[in-house]
Each structure stands twice: as C-alpha cells, then as structure tokens.
Amino acid sequence: MKKRQKICLSVRVDTDETPEKPVKALEQVAASVGRALNCTFAEGEFQRWYAQVADVFGLRLSVAGVGGIGGKSVAKLVGAVAEKGFRYAPDGSDHVEYDRVDISAYMVDLLTIRTGLEWYQPTPEDLAAERGAAGRFDDWLGQVGPQGWTRDDEEKFGDW
C-alpha cells in the first residue's frame, strides 16, 4: 500500500524586547509570516488556547505564544495537515500510513529571509522549557499539567 506524504513544521522566534529589537506581538509575528507565505492569519485556537491561524497549501498554520528557556517569550509556528482527505489511504480505505516530511529547516531559512526575524528550530531544551511553562500554567489554572506527552501524542494532537 502506498503511503501518503504528510508535511509538518515547527519553528520558533523570540519575541522578548531587546535594545536591538522591539517586542513583537503574536499578531505582528502572524502578519509577518502571512506576508512571507502569502496567506492571512486570523484569531483562532491551537490546543484549546488563543492563537493566530491560517490555512495554506493544505496545512493549518498556528502562531501561538509559549514560555521559553529562562522564561523568555517565544512565538511558535507549527503546521499540521488540515486536508480531511489525508485521513484516508489513497485507495479510499480507512487504514492510512504516512511518511512524515518535516520542512522546519526550510521554513527557518525562508521565514528568516522574508520576515527579517531570526527563526530557529526548537531544541530538546526549548521543548522541555515550553512543556514546563505549560505545566505551570495548567497548575495555576488548577489542573495537573502535562503528563508524559509522547511523540505519538504530538503526531495525533500537534506540536506541544
């Protein structure tokens, strides 16, 4: 059985204010990405939280704010397949297998060139800091925080 190609991306840009760079709001980052990719972002949700979202080339792109290493402010841009037809195998059956194609490195270069912002791929330390910040926020809301988020969860629900 032929596998479907499933593209994904997960990139970051720091939004903290520095003497060289004024702070960027999520709306500003999303507008900049929209100009770079010729799409329009609008208010929406990513993982049940506020985000700027757009649909482009069959992907749902989301720009969301996260806490980074040392508490810095970060905007993450993630993309997941939004085209419902990808839920089914090419032969129309319910069983579908994917070859995951990560275009993050390409997007880092493209967005850095087109937006003038310094985009990067998150390291394991960046992802751990984001999970920690999300867990502290969940605790503040009175919940239990993330419990053992796995690669399978990421595949099913998107980048955390």
Side-chain angles (χ1 to χ4, degrees), residues 135-146:
R136 287 186 298 280
F137 184 69
D138 282 348
D139 290 344
W140 180 76
L141 291 174
Q143 298 181 11
V144 296

Side-chain angles (χ1 to χ4, degrees), residues 74-109:
V74 175
K76 74 177 184 176
L77 171 66
V78 294
V81 174
E83 176 60 46
K84 289 179 175 41
F86 274 79
R87 294 180 184 162
Y88 304 101
D91 66 4
S93 68
D94 287 341
H95 181 72
V96 62
E97 292 184 29
Y98 297 102
D99 278 328
R100 182 179 167 143
V101 180
D102 188 342
I103 62 169
S104 298
Y106 168 76
M107 292 303 292
V108 163
D109 291 342

Side-chain angles (χ1 to χ4, degrees), residues 6-150:
K6 180 177 175 181
I7 63 174
C8 61
L9 64 106
S10 179
V11 297
R12 308 292 190 272
V13 67
D14 295 343
T15 58
D16 278 333
E17 185 172 6
T18 66
E20 304 83 35
K21 173 181 69 95
V23 68
K24 294 279 188 188
L26 285 182
E27 293 82 5
Q28 292 172 302
V29 173
S32 182
V33 171
R35 286 188 298 277
L37 300 179
N38 197 29
C39 63
T40 303
F41 282 80
E43 188 173 320
E45 284 186 6
F46 175 73
Q47 295 179 338
R48 297 181 291 151
W49 193 251
Y50 168 80
Q52 292 285 310
V53 297
D55 291 320
V56 63
F57 47 85
L59 291 178
R60 166 63 49 105
L61 299 179
S62 301
V63 176
V66 295
I69 294 173
K72 71 181 174 181
S73 296
V74 175
K76 74 177 184 176
L77 171 66
V78 294
V81 174
E83 176 60 46
K84 289 179 175 41
F86 274 79
R87 294 180 184 162
Y88 304 101
D91 66 4
S93 68
D94 287 341
H95 181 72
V96 62
E97 292 184 29
Y98 297 102
D99 278 328
R100 182 179 167 143
V101 180
D102 188 342
I103 62 169
S104 298
Y106 168 76
M107 292 303 292
V108 163
D109 291 342
L110 180 69
L111 291 174
T112 297
I113 291 166
R114 290 189 173 180
T115 67
L117 301 172
E118 293 185 38
W119 291 86
Y120 59 93
Q121 286 184 262
T123 65
E125 294 80 14
D126 290 315
L127 297 174
E130 291 173 15
R131 282 190 302 274
R136 287 186 298 280
F137 184 69
D138 282 348
D139 290 344
W140 180 76
L141 291 174
Q143 298 181 11
V144 296
Q147 299 291 319
W149 193 258
T150 67

